[in-house]
């Protein structure tokens, strides 16, 4: 299935852990991904993500026409190194987070995936995402 989102990944615990970034157009999905790339994350997909399940896990990749490309608003759609695919272990949704939220999960994909609500354009968003991935997105 094609999903309107971005997908980035960090290498942790011996493997790639993917973060699916969801939100409406203009919410800052590509902006957050771009800032995370500067913090050591890898691009998997920008704007559209092909998702599938296998063996009780969710995986994602870029459609062929978008592989290795990321939108840099105000500049262009530019080439960027990208992973061919990764396992999705955390879902980030654009929004205003509670100060200390209750744990949240999505089963939109038939699997229980941790969800983090995040103000995507906050300067601290990449640091929060990285910490959430370590804490919530362990791939359990």
């Amino acid at each position: 299935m094609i999903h309107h989102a971005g997908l980035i990944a960090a290498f942790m615990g011996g493997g790639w852990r993917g973060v699916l970034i969801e939100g409406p157009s203009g919410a800052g999905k590509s902006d957050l991904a771009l800032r995370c790339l500067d913090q050591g994350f890898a691009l998997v997909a920008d704007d559209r993500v092909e998702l599938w399940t296998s063996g009780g896990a969710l995986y994602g990749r870029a459609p062929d026409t978008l592989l290795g490309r990321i939108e840099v608003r105000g500049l262009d759609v530019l080439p960027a190194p990208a992973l061919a695919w990764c396992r999705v272990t955390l879902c980030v949704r654009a929004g205003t987070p509670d100060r200390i939220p209750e744990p949240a999960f999505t089963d939109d994909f038939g699997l229980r995936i941790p969800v983090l609500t995040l103000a995507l354009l906050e300067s601290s968003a990449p640091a929060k995402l990285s910490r959430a991935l370590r804490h919530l997105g362990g791939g359990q």
Side-chain angles (χ1 to χ4, degrees):
M1 104 179 71
I2 299 285
H3 195 65
H4 181 81
L7 181 59
I8 58 174
F11 194 81
M12 296 179 176
W16 290 100
R17 296 184 188 177
V19 179
L20 189 67
I21 306 171
E22 300 179 323
S25 182
K29 298 179 299 292
S30 296
D31 186 271
L32 175 59
L34 190 63
R35 288 180 287 135
C36 286
L37 296 182
D38 285 345
Q39 300 296 318
F41 280 77
L43 177 67
V44 181
D46 184 47
D47 194 49
R48 299 279 187 268
V49 182
E50 289 183 17
L51 295 169
W52 73 94
T53 59
S54 179
L58 181 66
Y59 296 89
R61 66 179 295 273
D64 291 339
T65 56
L66 298 175
L67 180 62
R69 304 184 61 74
I70 187 167
E71 178 185 353
V72 181
R73 191 171 289 245
L75 188 57
D76 202 349
V77 177
L78 301 175
L83 299 176
W85 59 274
C86 76
R87 181 175 178 178
V88 177
T89 61
L90 178 65
C91 180
V92 170
R93 293 190 174 146
T96 303
D98 291 335
R99 186 168 180 186
I100 301 177
E102 292 295 322
F105 299 87
T106 181
D107 58 3
D108 290 352
F109 311 103
L111 300 167
R112 187 173 157 97
I113 307 287
V115 174
L116 173 68
T117 299
L118 197 60
L120 303 184
L121 295 174
E122 274 188 347
S123 61
S124 61
K128 290 176 182 177
L129 190 149
S130 181
R131 282 163 179 77
L133 189 56
R134 282 188 195 92
H135 180 69
L136 302 171
Q140 288 92 305

